[in-house]
Amino acid sequence: MTNRYAPPARNGSASAARARAREAIADAAPTTFWTDRPDRPQPRPRLTGTRTADLVVIGGGFTGLWAAILAKQDNPAADVVLVEAERIAFGASGRNGGFVADSLTHGLSHGMARWPAEIESLVRLGRENLAAIAGTVQRFGIDAGLRLCGKTTAAVAPHQVAELATLAELHRAYGDDVTLLDAEQVRADVASPTYLAGLRLRGAGGLVDPARLSWGLARVAESLGVTIHEDTRVTGFDRSRHGVVVRTTDGRIGGHQVVIGTNAYPPPLRRLRHWILPVYDYVLVTEPLSDAQRTQLRWPEAQGITDAGNQFHYYRLTDDNRILFGGYDAIYRFGNRVDPALDQRDATHRLLAEHFAETFPQLDGVRFTHRWGGVIDSTTRFTPMFGTTRDRRIAYAVGYTGLGVAASRFGAQVALDLLAGRETEGTRLQMVRRRPVPFPPEPLRYPVVEMTRRALAAADSRDGRRGPWLRLLDRFGVGFNS
């Protein structure tokens, strides 16, 4: 079967489509759209010298920011210090598409397959978590463009139409506001000739400006008394009589307890590398659309959209009528390599530009202003891993697999509860108590991941049928996704 995203015949040859894609991205700045703005906060000072703290939070992404905020709200007298190796919103928290989901389980169907006995609790906890995020944004006046507008999942291959119908019934069974759309209906909402059906889910998530959310949460944390140090890389831990000493490049913090929220970046606890796979994801953003172009698209509710393949795209409108378009490729580098040099990948950015042109042919000639990439932290089960070490002095929550914008708040609360020895509904979950299967070590890890990527692409091209390798992984509850 031909790749559903091959350039359509009406647009000329494949070589012509590639040439147009190269032209469309030729002037795109190799930087993240969300943080490329003049009102970006000034850098905070790095940690130098020696100090103490009740809680040290490592990582200034969403997990770390929420951990710092929740810790101070639980105990305002606690001395909380957060250290970030780069700057707030540098990593995945400032590079993602800004999709906010109420799922803690990488989607309702995945949660049902993995934890059927706990799915009702997981669904409710996910909804409560999203409501708490919205409440914090409103209470503290965070200007992050948060809209709980839901999203549309589009079928772009015939076999995906039936899959969406099954998914719609599942969402209805759990009380979600969901509408199944045929091809005419979904194209009347958002004008794309690639759509064969759609599932419109309202209220169960939405969109946000992730950098502004990160910066807003950092301001909230500081208003509560948290000390934030940027440009402060953790180099290791030492034991102390009262807890843990956190070593950094220019200082030391004697901490009673520690929360690690480094996610895809190399963790200060080397053991976590067995369970975390850093996968590069790539994104494009267009120039602002004209009024006429915006009218051609329709898209009145400006909800986020994903397609339903194993290798899927996600896209959305920004506040100034650009389209952010990302996903599809998920690139793993041998040895868990994470490197700023990998933030740009010409082949993937060209491929995304070609797919964009097929999705919205009426926008022929639109150019891209920004192109970037970043790492997502995946586990073999697509959901986070939680735990403690060093006599319950250090806790971690890592591995959100692309759905961490909202789930990170839940992860942060679980990590704090584990440190405190609190038995809660969250800490009793099997998802929290049981670790995922670790990834194999190198040199086996890379070929296994590549074989799985090819198997997923093959399943997309043969009406969704999963071959022997994917069925074997399904049997053991492990896998890999784009």
Side-chain angles (χ1 to χ4, degrees), residues 77-99:
D79 183 11
V80 178
V81 176
L82 183 151
V83 293
E84 161 60 37
E86 299 287 346
R87 293 180 63 184
I88 300 298
F90 170 83
S93 294
R95 301 184 189 217
N96 63 80
F99 282 64

Side-chain angles (χ1 to χ4, degrees), residues 464-480:
R465 295 191 302 274
R466 298 171 75 81
W469 177 244
L470 293 182
R471 291 199 301 271
L472 178 64
L473 295 181
D474 291 341
R475 180 180 176 184
F476 289 96
V478 301
F480 176 71

Side-chain angles (χ1 to χ4, degrees), residues 275-462:
W275 286 274
I276 298 300
L277 191 80
V279 178
Y280 271 85
D281 180 57
Y282 293 92
V283 187
L284 295 172
V285 167
T286 70
E287 61 192 350
L289 303 181
S290 68
D291 290 343
Q293 290 168 329
R294 183 68 181 83
T295 299
Q296 284 181 310
L297 284 178
R298 305 188 184 108
W299 214 343
E301 296 178 88
Q303 75 274 19
I305 301 176
T306 64
D307 53 59
N310 291 311
Q311 291 181 287
F312 64 92
H313 304 88
Y314 55 86
Y315 43 104
R316 58 165 293 181
L317 289 162
T318 65
D319 289 344
D320 58 349
N321 279 331
R322 303 169 187 262
I323 298 177
L324 178 149
F325 195 85
Y328 194 76
D329 267 350
I331 307 299
Y332 171 70
R333 305 289 183 162
F334 183 87
N336 277 24
R337 184 183 170 202
V338 176
D339 189 321
L342 304 177
D343 291 350
Q344 299 295 319
R345 191 170 191 264
D346 289 347
T348 297
H349 285 130
R350 286 197 301 268
L351 186 65
L352 286 172
E354 292 178 43
H355 292 176
F356 176 88
E358 183 179 357
T359 303
F360 297 121
Q362 68 270 46
L363 299 181
D364 185 38
V366 167
R367 297 175 69 88
F368 297 94
T369 62
H370 294 75
R371 49 181 282 181
W372 73 91
V375 281
I376 294 170
D377 57 327
S378 184
T379 68
T380 55
R381 68 184 185 194
F382 308 149
T383 55
M385 181 182 76
F386 310 87
T388 63
T389 187
R390 304 287 178 92
D391 299 323
R392 215 174 67 210
R393 297 291 189 181
I394 299 175
Y396 48 84
V398 294
Y400 297 97
T401 319
L403 289 184
V405 175
S408 52
R409 183 191 176 279
F410 174 81
Q413 184 62 69
V414 167
L416 292 172
D417 289 339
L418 291 174
L419 282 181
R422 289 189 288 257
E423 184 174 332
T424 67
E425 188 175 13
T427 61
R428 286 192 296 268
L429 293 169
Q430 290 186 33
M431 185 177 73
V432 172
R433 292 188 292 110
R434 296 184 180 178
R435 291 182 174 182
V437 175
F439 289 100
E442 298 289 16
L444 185 60
R445 179 178 296 200
Y446 180 82
V448 166
V449 171
E450 284 301 297
M451 183 165 62
T452 306
R453 288 183 69 243
R454 294 190 185 99
L456 288 166
D460 281 337
S461 68
R462 59 172 178 252

